[in-house]
Amino acid sequence: MLQAEELALLQAIRDTGSLSRAAAKLGKAPSTVSHAARQLESRVDALLFDRRNYRLQLTPAGNLLMDESARLQQESARTMQRVRQVANGWEERLWIVTDELMEFETLLPVIRDFDELQSGVPLRITNEVLGGTWEALRDGRANLVIGATNEPQKMPGVSWRELGRLEWVFAVSSKHALAAMPEPLSREAISAHRAVVVADSSRQTEGRVYGVLGGQPALAVPSMRAKMLAQCEALGVGWLPRHRVAHLLQEGKLVEKRTAQPREPNILYVAWREELAGRALKWWLEKLQQPRLAQRLVDGLTR
């Protein structure tokens, strides 16, 4: 790899196209710069400078040497930064997996606060659905999961706590046949119509399905937002997070229907791998204990 002075020499010549102007830019005498250029060519045993024309230029070999050396220097600097970062108790990277129920917008203020720490820890935030969320933690694809549903699975080295309770509402499009049916809706009445469900992202099992009665046809969609859209278009029926669809109920795009068998609230969880708990993970866990933030994550944004 080139020394910093050698890289600066190549950069100055490429920028100025002149030995004298390169020397002025570097604050050195032209003879000194000319001697350094010849020494560099001798050291790497390659023609680096095209001196045939009026404008001094780097040869293809010179350009390659400069670009690769600059890249290696940047990579070396990043490596040293990561070494210092880990030595100070920060993780090399923090991988957060949210259940698809979470709205990413609710995390933006938290990410902004984390950035203010200037820890150097890069964040990777992805989402999973139902069993896929717990699976990501078990399989090492997450340091922290937010919004996992159902009972925590028994996994060595994993801790968890409750985030909050998610309330549901059975909602149908105002254009759907169930909208005009008398309440409470029976199991038979509901099962005669297609359910809309968010597909479980579990990779190792068939996954769970919620809100589908025995024999009921189902439309599996990739996200809760897609489920809301599908139900607004009368493509199916099902349970939706009450807070997130409040505006759709108020606008009349969806109609709330009482059912003979109400759905209990879901408890959402925060879970993490203890052995990976560096300063970044501990910061996130402390942040997620704030009641207002936890409630906002569970409820989503008010439209």
Side-chain angles (χ1 to χ4, degrees):
M1 188 169 69
L2 296 181
Q3 300 296 321
E5 297 81 3
E6 295 171 327
L7 185 58
L9 169 64
L10 291 172
Q11 183 69 64
I13 290 176
R14 184 156 78 175
D15 289 346
T16 64
S18 163
L19 190 64
S20 59
R21 287 194 293 271
K25 183 175 182 178
L26 295 171
K28 297 181 179 180
S31 59
T32 302
V33 172
S34 178
H35 178 67
R38 289 194 299 270
Q39 278 193 321
L40 179 57
E41 285 182 317
S42 177
R43 184 164 74 83
V44 300
D45 192 23
L47 184 64
L48 304 177
F49 307 100
D50 188 346
R51 302 175 176 86
R52 294 173 299 175
N53 300 319
Y54 172 76
R55 180 177 175 82
L56 181 63
Q57 295 178 313
L58 297 184
T59 64
N63 278 306
L64 176 62
L65 178 63
M66 179 183 162
D67 292 341
E68 285 299 300
S69 295
R71 182 185 63 80
L72 289 172
Q73 283 197 352
Q74 291 174 351
E75 192 64 36
S76 177
R78 284 193 290 265
T79 298
M80 293 307 298
Q81 180 184 359
R82 291 198 300 271
V83 168
R84 290 190 292 269
Q85 177 181 309
V86 172
N88 287 325
W90 296 100
E91 298 88 332
E92 187 174 355
R93 181 185 68 174
L94 186 65
W95 193 342
I96 300 172
V97 170
T98 65
D99 190 280
E100 204 283 323
L101 281 169
M102 301 288 99
E103 291 184 290
F104 181 70
E105 294 93 326
T106 60
L107 285 176
L108 294 177
V110 189
I111 297 171
R112 189 178 300 113
D113 290 346
F114 181 74
D115 286 346
E116 291 179 0
L117 299 176
Q118 297 184 337
S119 66
V121 179
L123 297 176
R124 180 176 181 180
I125 302 177
T126 58
N127 60 39
E128 299 282 350
V129 180
L130 295 171
T133 306
W134 289 111
E135 194 176 275
L137 191 64
R138 185 191 65 209
D139 295 349
R141 289 182 284 109
N143 306 101
L144 169 69
V145 299
I146 303 174
T149 57
N150 302 304
E151 288 298 321
Q153 300 178 5
K154 292 183 178 179
M155 292 178 278
V158 169
S159 296
W160 54 269
R161 64 169 182 254
E162 291 187 12
L163 179 68
R165 295 168 67 86
L166 181 67
E167 302 285 342
W168 298 93
V169 57
F170 190 85
V172 301
S173 168
S174 57
K175 300 174 288 187
H176 196 278
L178 285 181
M181 290 194 68
E183 300 173 294
L185 296 179
S186 67
R187 181 184 181 93
E188 292 73 25
I190 294 172
S191 62
H193 299 272
R194 182 169 66 178
V196 182
V197 299
V198 182
D200 194 314
S201 64
S202 176
R203 294 158 173 77
Q204 299 180 12
T205 66
E206 293 184 4
R208 297 189 298 269
V209 177
Y210 282 92
V212 179
L213 303 175
Q216 185 180 18
L219 169 64
V221 295
S223 67
M224 183 56 68
R225 181 175 181 274
K227 176 173 162 64
M228 291 162 57
L229 291 172
Q231 290 187 211
C232 283
E233 292 298 319
L235 298 178
V237 300
W239 296 91
L240 294 168
R242 177 176 290 279
H243 191 80
R244 286 181 60 177
V245 298
H247 66 293
L248 297 174
L249 293 170
Q250 291 171 359
E251 295 167 4
K253 294 179 180 178
L254 289 174
V255 177
E256 177 178 357
K257 302 294 290 186
R258 289 187 299 108
T259 63
Q261 296 176 311
R263 178 172 176 175
E264 293 295 319
N266 271 102
I267 298 177
L268 305 186
Y269 297 90
V270 172
W272 63 96
R273 300 188 70 89
E274 287 283 2
E275 73 273 18
L276 303 177
R279 292 174 65 180
L281 177 54
K282 291 175 181 176
W283 183 92
W284 275 82
L285 291 173
E286 183 177 345
K287 192 78 170 179
L288 292 171
Q289 281 187 309
Q290 297 178 1
R292 291 180 62 184
L293 172 60
Q295 194 62 53
R296 187 168 73 245
L297 291 172
V298 172
D299 289 343
L301 300 177
T302 302
R303 299 294 190 271

